Amino acid sequence: MDKPTARFDADAHAAEIHARGFTVIRDFMDAATLARARETLAPFQDQHHGRNSFEGYKTERVYTLVARGAVFEDLTAEPRIMAILDRFLQPGYLLTASQSIQINPGETAQDIHTDDGFYRQPRPRPAISMTVIAAIDDFTQANGCTEVIPGSHLWGDFGALERPNTQDAMEAMLVPMEMPAGACFVMAGTCLHRGGANRTDKPRLGFTKQYCEPWGRTQENFFLGIPAEQARTMSPRLQTLLGYDIHPPFMGMVSSLHPRRALEPDWVAPVVAQRP
């Protein structure tokens, strides 16, 4: 166990999330990891610009980031992140989204939103997903750092009397998540936030990993996005995050078999193998 993990107090970070909706890990990535992340991302940049105001017309995204290089495999199953998530999500939780986000100069702020709003269970409720946002560049208020509303993870649905319900009122409560390169924050999926506007002349690069309950449908379909021969080489922990596991009693089975069987080199799908 490395030193950051050995001295990590997951209970204290979990308590911060319970109280205000998020917590910060300032030493999430060291200089070598940051360099590897930049080097790994470089060939994929400038290929996908946003198609709407939410993605960001001046924002570049690299989807299925977990499969773009070993550094992102490691960061997806990073032990300190797993320790926090273990305190909020059921065993066997899944990776639901994995992408880099580069907010370029001139980008406007996103609409205020939550990351698990597409799960329709009424609020207030426990988070069904958890979000990690990590800084590869310094995050500042000027270059588009994430802005959050502390405590909003405890609010009811839009329109509830005990919460603000106008855009102006919510914007007045936003707090910029300024943090240095190498830091990250972990946020409840029920916490209201937005990506900020980049008013500088330089891009702001970061990435997000989102995780959901093992019974939830994931945003990204990693079975189709990551070839089986590549998933086969990943760690068992990462394979579980991608969905190659069973949520008891049998959710996720493949023709009555454990889904990890589908990663075996000689696997033939039963619908093919059992044809008359």
Side-chain angles (χ1 to χ4, degrees):
M1 183 180 294
D2 60 26
K3 290 182 180 179
T5 303
R7 64 174 181 261
F8 187 70
D9 188 344
D11 288 330
H13 284 279
E16 288 188 345
I17 295 173
H18 281 299
R20 60 178 182 169
F22 59 90
T23 189
V24 177
I25 305 174
R26 296 189 67 83
D27 60 349
F28 180 57
M29 296 177 286
D30 60 18
T33 302
L34 280 170
R36 288 170 60 210
R38 288 185 185 281
E39 182 180 5
T40 301
L41 269 175
F44 304 108
Q45 291 295 94
D46 201 25
Q47 295 186 26
H48 181 94
H49 288 76
R51 298 158 291 188
N52 51 58
S53 59
F54 185 82
E55 275 192 308
Y57 292 113
K58 295 183 179 180
T59 295
E60 299 176 29
R61 295 176 186 257
V62 178
Y63 288 94
T64 322
L65 187 63
V66 62
R68 304 289 183 166
V71 63
F72 293 113
E73 292 183 28
D74 294 342
L75 290 169
T76 299
E78 205 273 347
R80 291 170 292 174
I81 298 298
M82 299 293 96
I84 294 175
L85 300 185
D86 287 346
R87 287 155 171 78
F88 289 91
L89 301 175
Q90 297 177 44
Y93 52 82
L94 302 170
L95 182 69
T96 176
S98 175
Q99 59 191 262
S100 67
I101 303 174
Q102 179 170 288
I103 297 179
N104 290 317
E107 184 60 275
T108 58
Q110 283 183 311
D111 289 337
I112 298 172
H113 64 281
T114 65
D115 281 344
D116 72 354
F118 35 72
Y119 299 114
R120 301 302 186 185
Q121 286 85 338
R123 296 170 57 111
R125 57 165 172 78
I128 296 172
S129 74
M130 300 290 289
T131 295
V132 176
I133 298 179
I136 296 178
D137 292 325
D138 292 341
F139 275 30
T140 70
Q141 190 168 12
N143 73 7
C145 71
T146 307
E147 301 170 342
V148 305
I149 302 180
S152 59
H153 63 303
L154 302 174
W155 294 355
D157 286 315
F158 188 81
L161 295 178
E162 73 277 6
R163 56 162 287 177
N165 288 296
T166 67
Q167 184 74 11
D168 288 346
M170 289 189 290
E171 285 185 354
M173 300 178 73
L174 287 167
V175 173
M177 293 298 296
E178 294 189 306
M179 57 186 182
C184 79
F185 68 92
V186 184
M187 175 176 63
T190 46
C191 191
L192 285 156
H193 66 285
R194 70 180 182 184
N198 188 344
R199 299 183 295 276
T200 72
D201 59 358
K202 295 180 181 179
R204 187 233 73 182
L205 180 61
F207 65 84
T208 183
K209 306 281 188 178
Q210 297 177 28
Y211 306 78
C212 70
E213 293 285 15
W215 47 263
R217 181 161 183 165
T218 59
Q219 297 175 54
E220 293 192 59
N221 187 325
F222 294 112
F223 296 122
L224 297 179
I226 302 174
E229 57 269 22
Q230 184 174 356
R232 186 182 302 135
T233 68
M234 295 178 175
S235 69
R237 185 71 187 88
L238 195 51
Q239 290 170 353
T240 292
L241 289 170
L242 295 177
Y244 290 97
D245 208 344
I246 292 290
H247 178 53
F250 44 71
M251 291 177 71
M253 59 86 170
V254 180
S255 298
S256 83
L257 301 174
H258 194 287
R260 205 159 284 166
R261 292 279 297 277
L263 296 179
E264 296 173 357
D266 59 351
W267 165 260
V268 179
V271 295
V272 175
Q274 296 168 2
R275 284 175 182 167

